Structures are given as structure tokens and as C-alpha cells.
Amino acid sequence: MYSRGHRNQSRSRAEPESAGNVAPAPAGRRSIGPRDLLRLQRLVGNRAVVSAASAGAPGYVVQRALISVDQWRESHDEELVRGVPFLGQLEESLKLYYAATGGDEPATKDVLRALSVLMRADSPGEVDPANLKIKRYLLRRMAFEAKRLLQNMTSPDDQQAKLEFTAEEHLKDRQFVQTILDEGSRQIEDALLHNACEWILAGRTELYVFTRTGDSLERASASGEGDRVPHVPDNFRNRGHLLAGPEPLYEADKLDSGKNIRYLTKEDRGIAGTGYIGIARPREVGRGVVEETLRHEVQHVADRSVDVQHGRAKKSARYLFESYATEYRAYSYEGPTFSHLSDDPGNLVRKSMAGSAEYGWTERQWAIFSKIYGQYKHTRDGWNADLPDALPGMSFRQAVLSYVDPDERGFNRLNSVRIDDFYDALHQVPLNTTNENLGAVQDVKARARALKPQEAHVVTTAGPMRNKIEEHLGGAALQEVTAILVKRGARYGQLRQLGNTRGTRNLKGLADL
């Protein structure tokens, strides 16, 4: 492992030598030899990198790149990592580059350009599209790392310059997310993304865009936060969210100040809390991850899990299970990461977790459970202790194993503002109300008519919402509301049938789904 504690020191740039005229390494450090150059050139396929290596190395930058590779490895499935030839070759070439140059730290743009060339180098045998996707993600991450390091190296003691750099990066991050929201709300093929963007643009939940500070290395060290990374803004002050305009940034001259700073882990890409969600480093992780994060984090608010947990002890089995369940839904609905896996209950895999017996899981259920178990203490606590009464007559493990179809729980799988309005109106009706002329019932009927056909279909078929309707309504009130929902929901089936005939892209009524 390469030390994370190196501080940058600026040096004058050495003149590059050609690959055939190797510059000697400083005393006490191994010189790069012809065999090393040939090996490096074979690995990265570019003489520009070899020339840069001959001239002296960006030891600090390469060190950070290696750390990024390690962090990436730690946050991804080992089998997936082993299946990506590019990653191993990149790591091998970086280590060679670092060892051959002895860790020198010249502050030069030429060295960063050489590193960029290395990052873009093609890898022999890389043909799997999944590998290419991972490579692009890694390149983005390394490019952002290099950009911040360049800022640190060119002005290591100029905190005001780093503050201005952070402000520029934060504005670009906000604009990037705003574009995704605008375009996502206009498209109609992806209902969950459309609705999630609509949810944020309607101001239902505050969205914060978190940008890493330009002085993140020094600030994290001075604050004693360990591996957590400082970002702006601090959403706990309820200022600086996307629709409110940028918030004044941190105190540049006080590295140990936490004012307007939010510390996040390097793996955090999205967060959710009461009244807000957040997306971290959006341009670094890329559009696809931002879209997944929007679907995921809005679901935590839309599914009304907070209402289900209200009044329950936070260490009770039911509270812990509902914490697991909202994560299970969010991961199920977020997008491609898990949706391609089989959810066929007739084709189960046998798996054990933390010394438990082997149980049968669908492939998708196991992948999502494993992810949640690894990341969230609430699920580890509930599973390891197998607490009783997570659901009526079920222990925690039994409740987890029984929860296969995410639609069985949660009130709003579509992230719809209209379903949310319907829920709120229904919640205002006293239990067992039969008077169809009551003002609160009239409001429920109006909200039912405002639902899109697919939304009405979901309301009538989702168990939790059906149960809530029957708890609050009875007699004529229940009949009238149900009639409206069934009529609207039937339209969804008609539009789907028409779409199968004509193709959804040519379906004029698709926007009404």
C-alpha cells in the first residue's frame, strides 16, 4: 500500500529525455532501465509516457492514482475486478512508473498530460463492453483526481485560489445535475427517472449537490476526519440546495473549520434524510450513476417508509426491517446495476451470510441483500441477532427471505408526485369514512382523477396502498374512489396494448402513462 500522507512539494521541471537517452535517477533510487521502458511501453502502448518516465516522475500523482485504484477495488465486487484486464494492467504500469522514478514530485503540467495519456491507453484484449464502461469510470475518477492535484501543486499555499477552484467546480457540478433533471423530466420512456426529476423540480425534496473541496487532502488531515472527505455545501443548514442558488463556501483560511462543510466517505454517491437528498461528485461518477442515484434516493422519500417507522423503537426488529426494506426497494428500482439479474423464484441460489444456514434466494434478491448487509449496520444487527417480530410471526431473517418482490411493500414505486398527493389526501380522511360527500373524500377523488393511467394501475395493485384505502374508506366513499381508480388504470392496459402494436416511441399516448 502506498502512503496517503505525502504532502506535495513543488519543484522545477526537468527537461524530458528521449526513450533512448535515459536520465539517471536521484541517488539512492533505482534507475529506469531499457527492459523497464520496453515493459512499460508494451503495457501502455505509448512512447509519450515512456519519455515522461525517463524525465522524472510525478510520484505524488502516481501515488494518488494507485490509491484511487485501491479504493476502487475496495468498493467493487472482487470477481468483477478480477474480470477486468485493464485494471490490472493499469495498476501494474502505475506501480512500475512509481518505482522507476523514485517518487519525485515535480509540479509540471507535462507530467499530468503524460499520466492522462497512460490512462487513455488501450489495453490488449479488452473487448467486453462492461470493461469499457468500468474503464471510462476509472478514467473520470483519475482525471478529477489529477485536476485537484494540479491545483494543489501549482498553488500549494494559496488557499484562496483553492476556494475559487472549488466554487468553479461546484457550479459545474450543479449545472451538470440541472441538465440531467431538465432532460430527464422531458423524456417519457423511463417513468421512474421522469418522475424522480419531476419530484425534485417540483420542490418536493431539497436536492444538494456535493463537491469535494480544492484543499480536501489538507482539510481532512487538519480536521481529524480520517478517510472521510470534505465536500460543500453543508446541507444540515438547509441552504445551498439546487433550486436555492449556491451557498457561500467554506472558510478557506481555517483548515480545521467545519463551517459549510459536509464530510462524506469516498464511496458515498448519494444520501437521503428528512426533507433532503444529496448527490456527491456528479461529474466524476458520470450521468448513468447520477440517474441511478436520483431514482434510488427519491424512492426513499416517496415510499413513505418514515411513516411506517414512526413511533417504533429504533432498535426494534420492525424498525430495522423497515430500514432494510426501503433500501431493498431503492436498489431494486434504481436501474441497471441489479435489474439485469434474475428474480425467478423457480431458480434460487443457496447462500449463507455471517454463519447462518444456507437459504434459497433469487439471484437479484441475494445481490441486493449482500450489498445492503455490507453497507448498513441496521441490517447486520437485525440479521446477525435474528431478532423476533420483524413482521407478524416472522423473525428478521424470515422477513428478509420472504421479501422478494419489492412491489409488495412501499406506497409509491414510481416516485410519482401524483401518487404522493393521493396518499396525503387519503391520510387526511378519518378511518372507516363512508360519506362520499365529505370534503376530504372529495379531495381524494380529485387526486385519483389526476393520476396518470400507470399510476392508477399501481395504486390499485400495490398491497400497502390498497390496505390504506380500505382502512380510511368504506361504503359509498370506497366504491366511488375505487371506480375512478379502476377506470384510470384500465386506460393503462389499453395504452400498453397499443404500444406493443405500434412501438412505444411512436405512441402518442405514452406521455400519459
Side-chain angles (χ1 to χ4, degrees), residues 93-407:
S93 61
L94 284 173
K95 287 180 177 177
L96 175 63
Y97 201 14
Y98 182 80
T101 55
D104 289 348
E105 300 170 352
T108 68
K109 293 182 181 179
D110 292 330
V111 167
L112 287 174
R113 289 195 189 101
L115 182 62
S116 177
V117 170
L118 185 150
M119 299 301 174
R120 292 197 301 270
D122 291 330
S123 300
E126 183 183 31
V127 294
D128 188 341
N131 291 0
L132 184 60
K133 179 180 179 182
I134 293 168
K135 177 178 176 180
R136 287 172 177 164
Y137 167 79
L138 192 59
L139 295 183
R140 280 196 304 271
R141 181 166 182 168
M142 299 263 187
F144 274 83
E145 190 69 48
K147 192 172 183 180
R148 291 184 180 89
L149 289 167
L150 176 60
Q151 176 65 30
N152 280 332
M153 288 192 294
T154 53
S155 54
D157 300 317
D158 189 346
Q159 296 301 326
Q160 186 60 35
K162 293 176 185 178
L163 178 68
E164 294 172 359
F165 171 76
T166 304
E168 293 172 2
E169 293 296 291
H170 185 54
L171 180 59
K172 291 175 183 176
D173 278 344
R174 292 168 63 95
Q175 291 171 338
F176 181 72
V177 173
Q178 185 69 58
T179 298
I180 292 174
L181 290 172
D182 291 341
E183 294 177 355
S185 67
R186 289 196 295 267
Q187 62 81 35
I188 55 177
E189 287 84 2
D190 184 336
L192 265 76
L193 178 62
H194 171 91
N195 289 342
C197 293
E198 184 180 41
W199 185 287
I200 297 300
L201 292 174
R204 293 296 176 102
T205 302
E206 292 179 348
L207 172 63
Y208 291 84
V209 177
F210 296 112
T211 302
R212 187 159 31 162
T213 64
D215 62 357
S216 59
L217 297 176
E218 303 104 307
R219 187 166 292 274
S221 176
S223 65
E225 287 286 341
D227 288 339
R228 297 210 304 163
V229 180
H231 292 70
V232 292
D234 173 17
N235 64 287
F236 289 126
R237 299 174 64 211
N238 295 319
R239 298 169 62 183
H241 61 89
L242 190 67
L243 301 183
E247 169 74 356
L249 298 180
Y250 57 89
E251 295 178 305
D253 57 340
K254 298 178 181 178
L255 287 176
D256 59 349
S257 170
K259 184 177 180 180
N260 207 29
I261 293 288
R262 174 72 187 260
Y263 281 89
L264 302 171
T265 70
K266 298 176 180 68
E267 287 71 37
D268 285 334
R269 65 180 193 182
I271 57 175
T274 304
Y276 75 88
I277 65 174
I279 296 176
R281 306 175 300 281
R283 289 180 300 133
E284 184 175 338
V285 300
R287 184 181 186 117
V289 171
V290 171
E291 291 178 347
E292 284 194 350
T293 304
L294 284 168
R295 297 187 197 97
H296 181 116
E297 301 300 344
V298 169
Q299 174 58 204
H300 281 314
V301 185
D303 71 357
R304 295 295 184 131
S305 55
V306 172
D307 291 357
V308 177
Q309 291 175 313
H310 181 71
R312 302 184 188 278
K314 291 190 174 182
K315 293 186 178 180
S316 68
R318 181 61 184 273
Y319 189 96
L320 297 177
F321 174 72
E322 293 300 343
S323 298
Y324 166 77
T326 185
E327 290 296 341
Y328 185 78
R329 286 187 292 274
Y331 280 114
S332 297
Y333 300 147
E334 71 175 26
T337 301
F338 297 103
S339 61
H340 70 285
L341 299 174
S342 170
D343 62 349
D344 179 6
N347 185 25
L348 301 180
V349 296
R350 304 289 300 179
K351 296 289 184 179
S352 165
M353 178 62 78
S356 73
E358 283 193 351
Y359 299 108
W361 311 73
T362 72
E363 184 182 15
R364 186 185 304 173
Q365 180 192 23
W366 169 252
I368 295 174
F369 168 74
S370 301
K371 175 81 171 178
I372 298 171
Y373 181 91
Q375 286 195 335
Y376 296 97
K377 185 176 182 297
H378 54 65
T379 295
R380 291 194 297 274
D381 288 347
W383 180 267
N384 293 348
D386 196 18
L387 298 172
D389 301 320
L391 288 176
M394 293 187 188
S395 70
F396 188 91
R397 291 182 186 179
Q398 290 171 329
V400 166
L401 291 165
S402 71
Y403 191 24
V404 179
D405 180 359
D407 294 355

Side-chain angles (χ1 to χ4, degrees), residues 10-58:
S10 197
R11 300 193 338 156
S12 60
R13 177 167 65 100
E15 290 297 321
E17 304 257 354
S18 69
N21 185 17
V22 177
R29 294 171 178 167
R30 181 173 70 83
S31 297
I32 186 168
R35 292 182 65 183
D36 293 325
L37 290 177
L38 288 173
R39 186 167 174 235
L40 179 60
Q41 186 170 341
R42 183 173 67 253
L43 282 169
V44 303
N46 194 292
R47 288 183 62 85
V49 176
V50 177
S51 298
S54 304

Side-chain angles (χ1 to χ4, degrees), residues 399-420:
V400 166
L401 291 165
S402 71
Y403 191 24
V404 179
D405 180 359
D407 294 355
E408 290 179 357
R409 307 187 67 83
F411 288 93
N412 189 353
R413 71 174 179 84
L414 293 178
N415 294 338
S416 164
V417 296
R418 287 160 295 278
I419 293 179
D420 198 55

